Amino acid sequence: MAEIIPTISQVKSEALEIFQKEFGKDADVCVFAPGRVNLIGEHTDYNEGFVLPMALPMVTMIVGKLNGKSTCTIVSTSKSITTISKIEFEVSDRSKVVPGEPKWANYVKGCIAFFPADVSGFDAVIVSTVPMGSGLSSSAALEVATYTFIEALTGVECKDLRDKALICQKAEHQFANVPCGIMDQFISVMGQQGHALLLDCRDLSVTQIPMDGIDNYAFLITNSNAPHKLSSSAFQERRDAFSHVINENSRTLAATAAFKAGDYVKVGELMNESHDSLRDNYEVSSNELDTLVNTARKVAGVLGSRLTGAGFGGCTITFLKKDSVDLVIKAINESYSGTASFYIATPSEGARKLDCK
Ligand code: ADP
Ligand code: MG
């Protein structure tokens, strides 16, 4: 069975309840930002190429309230964090907002440090349904949710969504020390329900690509539960492997055209070629990912399957007829030596503020 993904309103209720328990008062600001899955265009974003991600129904929710102090207190809880983690740090004097321990707080601190206005003390609770370290970009979801939260708290909103995404990326580069591309923050900020986002990383232009024709088809994410290591040295070395990148760019544009034309067989072929190139030319696949992809491809009704995200573990995405979802899950459960989890990815909306009701 694919995992049941809690709805936005369920995640919100949970976060509001935890806030009330932790701080003994009601939150008056509530925001979320989604994780993402990349349909095609892998390792192209930091090479000034094209990517085609969509926002996921799995989100990072932040609720909170100003506290009248110079410090903030943030509690994070997530399916992937078994114990609640709590941090407190100075925010009013931004020269004191610097990276440190615990590491997860650096994603939050970076967004505060680079926010274009002063931030007063606040209390907040973070609840996330985005699996962490699986290539579905819980890191960008955390950054973009943090930025959106501070926008709501201060009333200072970014006029150009590109700037918002770029500041979140800067937080990940400089505070978390991860040399990520720009795709994750862009889609988490700009995602639209029912659409994928074609992003040209050369000039940061974006085109919303409607996905409403795919009613009889589904995107099945399979998490290998073998965590990826984004800051590993292998990833850095492969930043020079351009031949993959040139062909991957052509595939991404061809897949966008095929989605628009309703040529889903072509989309699937391009996804397969993308994986094969990531495995053979860019060398970022793993035995686990290859097993998941090969098993899915053998099932009738599967149009294409590839690793998604940076590689070295993490997830695969399979484009298939809806009727075939259970067959693929069964085939993987029978042949995969690890324990996989499964999510149906529907193209969802980007970050926004919600009512606290
Ligand atoms: P991915 O972005 O693919 O999930 P990363 O390694 O880039 O993987 O980011 C995962 C890291 O982001 C976690 O190890 C943690 O430090 C941080 N993180 C993400 N979401 C949360 C959260 N809700 N609470 C605390 N830390 C989080
Ligand atoms: Mg990440």
Side-chain angles (χ1 to χ4, degrees), residues 36 107 137-140 143 172 178 180 184 228 230:
R36 64 97 186 94
Y107 297 88
S137 209
S138 69
S139 58
E143 292 144 19
E172 183 151 345
V178 178
C180 59
D184 302 357
H228 75 153
L230 201 55

Side-chain angles (χ1 to χ4, degrees), residues 151-329:
E151 281 183 319
L153 209 59
T154 58
V156 179
E157 288 187 9
C158 230
K159 290 195 181 68
D160 187 340
L161 292 180
R162 286 182 185 80
D163 293 337
K164 178 170 171 177
L166 287 165
I167 293 172
C168 291
Q169 182 198 31
K170 189 171 161 191
E172 183 151 345
H173 284 181
Q174 297 193 14
F175 271 62
N177 211 14
V178 178
C180 59
I182 188 58
M183 163 173 65
D184 302 357
Q185 293 80 9
F186 258 66
I187 182 65
S188 187
V189 168
M190 296 179 199
Q192 279 183 15
Q193 197 145 24
H195 294 75
L197 185 79
L198 178 68
L199 165 62
D200 180 345
C201 300
R202 243 176 344 188
D203 60 5
L204 301 183
S205 58
V206 291
T207 315
Q208 297 285 350
I209 309 296
M211 291 275 136
D212 43 11
I214 62 163
D215 287 355
N216 297 324
Y217 297 84
F219 295 105
L220 176 69
I221 296 175
T222 304
N223 190 345
S224 67
N225 290 315
H228 75 153
K229 293 185 182 65
L230 201 55
S231 42
S232 74
S233 60
F235 177 75
Q236 312 260 358
E237 283 157 25
R238 280 161 181 79
R239 288 182 65 129
D240 293 327
F242 281 112
S243 74
H244 161 77
V245 173
I246 292 163
N247 292 321
E248 186 73 356
N249 281 331
S250 316
R251 280 190 286 270
T252 305
L253 292 178
T256 304
F259 270 120
K260 284 184 184 161
D263 186 352
Y264 303 131
V265 170
K266 182 73 184 167
V267 170
E269 282 168 11
L270 291 161
M271 288 174 71
N272 286 342
E273 284 171 25
S274 168
H275 179 82
D276 296 351
S277 174
L278 288 161
R279 181 191 61 212
D280 301 335
N281 302 326
Y282 218 72
E283 298 176 57
V284 293
S285 192
S286 64
N287 289 339
E288 290 95 342
L289 294 172
D290 289 342
T291 302
L292 295 176
V293 160
N294 292 336
T295 307
R297 284 181 189 175
K298 284 185 201 132
V299 177
V302 169
L303 301 181
S305 186
R306 59 182 288 275
L307 73 82
T308 183
F312 305 118
C315 295
T316 64
I317 181 160
T318 302
F319 186 41
L320 74 177
K321 293 222 167 98
K322 268 191 181 149
D323 298 349
S324 299
V325 167
D326 289 341
L327 293 173
V328 170
I329 293 177

